[in-house]
Amino acid sequence: MQEDSTFIWKAVSRWGESMTSIVPSNNRENLVQAIEQDPARFRYIDDVICFREVYSEIGDYDKLQRRLATHLRGVFLLIRMFHCCRPADIQSYYDSGLLVLDSSKANDDFRAAFIGNPEFPEITAAHVEAAIEEMAGSYRRNGFIYFGLDDRYLIDNCGNYLIYGSEYVQSLAACIERQIGRSVKPSLRRRGVPTVFAVDMPVEHFTDDELTTLGEVALQAWAYSIAHNTGEVGGIDFAIHLEQNLGPEFISSHYHPECIPDPFSQRVCYRYTNPS
């Protein structure tokens, strides 16, 4: 797969030209001039209103916006996304792919972890079953899996998935804590390894609305890079969910972050240490 067919958010110097080819050629020079003449206008990388206003002075932004999804599908085959988790078996991801949450399996794992655990002798099977019952039917958890466009943003703002595991398991732990009046969530730190998987996701997995949103942010990021003469883009909050598994062939790589701000401990840096 050619690298220029993969949209990688942090590589604006690589995708900028392909992305902005959506701008009619007779408007492109005027657009660059408008950006370069007023760089102070471009204060934020994700201020899509800014780009809309600038472009509207030289062309029809609404027409441009309507073409974004089709343009992205025509230019890019894959979009680099990231998934944060805390797996006990990393190889299983390369064997089976990234799987949607199976709450039944997660419930069994939770039972095995807390029923009869000598660290928490007060936790009974009834406590665990009550927690599972409370979480039954919780919104967009079972059968879903989530990905973000920017791993830097995920680590800085969603570190709880890396430190404590899935949101579903964290919620089960919170239910237990309310029942017994004691914190159990720190014990989740001793299960698995904080891991970020990079996946090259086929553009077909994105809806038109998601691609339009991505396209608008990408155009603003490109304009920001021109205005400030930089080949770098900052963190971005852009995420999608799938309701199907993603095969292992789409995994590009994985790594273990060295420092993760813990949102439950005043963002103190969490560093993984192997318990063995």
Side-chain angles (χ1 to χ4, degrees):
M1 187 66 64
Q2 294 183 351
E3 289 224 339
D4 58 4
S5 67
T6 302
F7 180 95
I8 301 176
W9 170 253
K10 290 181 285 190
V12 62
S13 60
R14 208 175 78 193
W15 56 255
E17 184 175 348
S18 296
M19 184 64 226
T20 53
S21 63
I22 189 176
V23 177
S25 56
N26 59 318
N27 288 343
R28 213 168 296 160
E29 184 175 344
N30 291 335
L31 175 60
V32 172
Q33 279 186 346
I35 295 169
E36 292 177 335
Q37 288 172 0
D38 193 3
R41 196 170 181 178
F42 293 84
R43 297 178 58 194
Y44 305 107
I45 288 174
D46 59 350
D47 183 5
V48 297
I49 301 299
C50 174
F51 185 87
R52 174 192 288 268
E53 292 174 346
V54 172
Y55 188 83
S56 294
E57 295 169 3
I58 61 173
D60 186 341
Y61 181 82
D62 289 338
K63 183 178 180 180
L64 188 76
Q65 183 190 47
R66 288 193 295 270
R67 294 173 52 206
L68 281 171
T70 300
H71 181 74
L72 279 164
R73 294 189 193 281
V75 172
F76 302 106
L77 298 178
L78 304 165
I79 296 176
R80 176 72 52 83
M81 300 294 284
F82 298 90
H83 178 72
C84 294
C85 52
R86 195 178 176 96
D89 181 7
I90 293 171
Q91 184 57 44
S92 68
Y93 284 70
Y94 287 96
D95 293 337
S96 303
L98 289 93
L99 310 180
V100 299
L101 173 69
D102 180 346
S103 59
S104 178
K105 181 180 183 304
N107 292 340
D108 288 342
D109 291 343
F110 195 80
R111 290 184 182 100
F114 285 99
I115 296 176
N117 186 331
E119 184 180 358
F120 304 104
E122 68 271 46
I123 296 179
T124 66
H127 288 130
V128 173
E129 296 309 317
I132 291 172
E133 178 62 26
E134 183 175 334
M135 291 301 299
S138 55
Y139 182 65
R140 283 193 172 182
R141 288 200 174 105
N142 186 52
F144 287 78
I145 185 170
Y146 292 84
F147 300 86
L149 184 69
D150 190 337
D151 55 331
R152 299 165 301 177
Y153 180 89
L154 293 174
I155 292 169
D156 195 48
N157 296 276
C158 307
N160 50 306
Y161 305 121
L162 293 162
I163 300 172
Y164 302 98
S166 75
E167 186 174 38
Y168 181 75
V169 170
Q170 291 178 59
S171 298
L172 287 174
C175 293
I176 295 291
E177 290 174 342
R178 288 193 294 271
Q179 293 181 71
I180 68 173
R182 177 186 171 194
S183 177
V184 302
K185 195 170 289 184
S187 68
L188 299 178
R189 293 176 175 221
R190 298 191 289 275
R191 306 171 65 203
V193 183
T195 305
V196 178
F197 283 96
V199 301
D200 290 335
M201 188 178 295
V203 71
E204 290 81 7
H205 285 304
F206 293 76
T207 67
D208 283 352
D209 285 345
E210 288 166 344
L211 289 177
T212 297
T213 298
L214 175 58
E216 289 189 285
V217 174
L219 286 173
Q220 169 64 16
W222 166 79
Y224 180 96
S225 72
I226 296 296
H228 300 282
N229 191 28
T230 176
E232 299 180 357
V233 292
I236 188 72
D237 179 12
F238 177 88
I240 70 166
H241 70 267
L242 295 184
E243 297 179 60
Q244 63 187 81
N245 300 331
L246 191 67
E249 65 270 23
F250 299 112
I251 298 177
S252 172
S253 61
H254 76 275
Y255 69 94
H256 310 296
E258 292 184 3
C259 174
I260 308 166
D262 187 342
F264 300 136
S265 297
Q266 299 180 324
R267 293 181 56 80
V268 170
C269 176
Y270 166 83
R271 297 183 185 276
Y272 173 75
T273 55
N274 192 326
S276 61

